[in-house]
Amino acid sequence: MSTTCPWCAAPRDAGPTCPSCGAIYAKAEAIKAHGRAAAPPPATAAPVRGVRSVGERSPDDGSTGEWHEVDDAELERRFCVGAIPVALLLAILFHASGLGAALQRIFLTMPVHEFGHAVSAWFCGYAALPTLWLTRIPDTRGWLAPLLLSAALGSLIFRAWHAANRPLMVAGGVLLLAQGVFTFGLQEKTAQMLFIFGGDGMGMILAIALMASFFFGKRTQLYKGSLRWGFVVIGAVAFVDMYATWWVARSNPDVIPFGTLNGDLTDASKLVEVYGWEITTLVNRYFALGIACLVALALVYAWGVRRAGREVRARRLAKQMAERLAASQEAAAG
């Protein structure tokens, strides 16, 4: 290859065009050699695959990881910004009406509340069977529940390792460690107190996890099957319903659900009458846990929105680069 421009003899630049005369080196060489420029190569789709509407996916659009599953990054960014705030706002408005609050409690809150009892019991080594209004938990620990839970967590860690998903590996390891501590490190009375508190306590954590799942699993049915929309609604409704009680209870203790249900003491009555909690302690612990849950959700929300914005910008940049490449190829061919 010549070290000078075939058109003006200026020192050759590393780029495709001469900085002195503007000639395209390949075209100038063809004219010098054959008296005309070479015919342009057949048009292919490859150079312009990225020339699409802003946010629309293409095979080389700059997407990373599971975002390759997202066809329209801009629409997904709008969903990430609005889904959880809108769901929480609608849940608050619905809860403000007496009928709405009753429907929330019956159909959405109680399953999450009972799973809160069950999950807390499982981590403490107890077998638990949640139903709509009651979670059946034996008086003593067994071996089957801890074995099944540890196997499930071990499978989660293995699959995360196989997929090179380090955050999920860490989460699985933390949960497995927590199971060991709660199962072998807590006395039975303390464990029983914990899973009684876990009705609304773990229930609020599960509700936050349901909402936070909106930002994950784009290769799974969470995204492909639109399960995340149902989860974010269930999570928002359940959290608002559970946390509203303890928010109001700071100034009005009469809203605390003391008494009996199905012939058994309610969770609040057990914690106060059986385990000796002060009413202020009961309220403050639920209230503080709710605040911690909201802070955790806010952090995940900020991360999810930021990530969505980064994907939109990556696709815009890929689109611009594809347009410039197409323009350059057209200029070279002309």
Side-chain angles (χ1 to χ4, degrees):
M1 179 183 296
S2 173
T3 59
T4 60
C5 173
W7 203 256
C8 69
R12 191 164 185 142
D13 189 71
T17 61
C18 176
S20 298
C21 67
I24 300 173
Y25 292 136
K27 185 175 180 180
E29 287 173 347
I31 292 174
K32 288 285 187 181
H34 308 291
R36 62 184 179 85
T44 62
V48 293
R49 281 182 298 179
V51 184
R52 302 189 177 199
S53 60
V54 173
E56 189 177 352
R57 182 178 63 85
S58 69
D60 55 355
D61 62 5
S63 298
T64 57
E66 63 181 10
W67 275 78
H68 284 293
E69 304 294 332
V70 178
D71 289 327
D72 191 332
E74 176 59 33
L75 181 61
E76 177 65 12
R77 185 191 68 82
R78 294 175 185 176
F79 286 157
C80 289
V81 170
I84 291 176
V86 169
L88 286 171
L89 178 60
L90 291 177
I92 292 171
L93 295 176
F94 203 63
H95 184 79
S97 67
L99 177 60
L103 293 174
Q104 283 179 324
R105 178 60 57 92
I106 293 171
F107 294 106
L108 297 177
T109 303
M110 288 309 299
V112 178
H113 172 91
E114 296 303 334
F115 263 99
H117 284 308
V119 172
S120 301
W122 293 335
F123 272 89
C124 291
Y126 291 79
L129 179 63
T131 64
L132 183 59
W133 289 93
L134 177 68
T135 299
R136 302 185 181 279
I137 304 175
D139 294 330
T140 58
R141 289 185 172 103
W143 59 269
L144 182 60
L147 183 62
L148 291 177
L149 181 58
S150 60
L153 293 175
S155 175
L156 174 68
I157 294 171
F158 175 78
R159 293 178 65 181
W161 171 78
H162 190 265
N165 190 333
R166 183 171 296 180
L168 191 58
M169 286 179 57
V170 172
V174 170
L175 291 176
L176 192 61
L177 177 62
Q179 181 199 6
V181 171
F182 293 151
T183 298
F184 300 106
L186 296 183
Q187 296 181 352
E188 286 197 344
K189 182 177 180 180
T190 304
Q192 291 167 357
M193 179 179 66
L194 182 63
F195 61 67
I196 290 171
F197 177 79
D200 274 5
M202 180 61 73
M204 288 190 287
I205 294 174
L206 293 177
I208 292 297
L210 287 171
M211 286 187 279
S213 70
F214 190 86
F215 300 107
F216 301 94
K218 289 181 173 54
R219 292 193 179 103
T220 70
Q221 289 301 309
L222 274 176
Y223 178 78
K224 295 180 179 180
S226 299
L227 290 177
R228 61 181 186 156
W229 291 104
F231 286 173
V232 77
V233 170
I234 294 171
V237 168
F239 181 84
V240 167
D241 188 43
M242 284 185 280
Y243 192 51
T245 298
W246 307 108
W247 180 280
V248 176
R250 294 178 303 149
S251 56
N252 181 16
D254 293 338
V255 302
I256 300 175
F258 290 124
T260 60
L261 180 65
N262 297 326
D264 194 14
L265 290 174
T266 62
D267 297 339
S269 293
K270 286 180 181 178
L271 291 172
V272 171
E273 297 177 22
V274 177
Y275 295 98
W277 289 22
E278 297 290 338
I279 294 178
T280 54
T281 301
L282 175 74
V283 174
N284 289 338
R285 286 177 176 173
Y286 278 121
F287 178 78
L289 179 58
I291 292 293
C293 287
L294 288 174
V295 170
L297 180 62
L299 293 174
V300 174
Y301 174 81
W303 170 83
V305 170
R306 182 181 178 185
R307 184 183 184 190
R310 187 168 63 244
E311 293 294 334
V312 169
R313 290 190 295 272
R315 293 192 184 189
R316 284 176 176 167
L317 179 60
K319 177 176 178 287
Q320 292 170 1
M321 293 176 65
E323 290 174 340
R324 291 172 184 172
L325 177 60
S328 175
Q329 289 179 339
E330 289 176 2

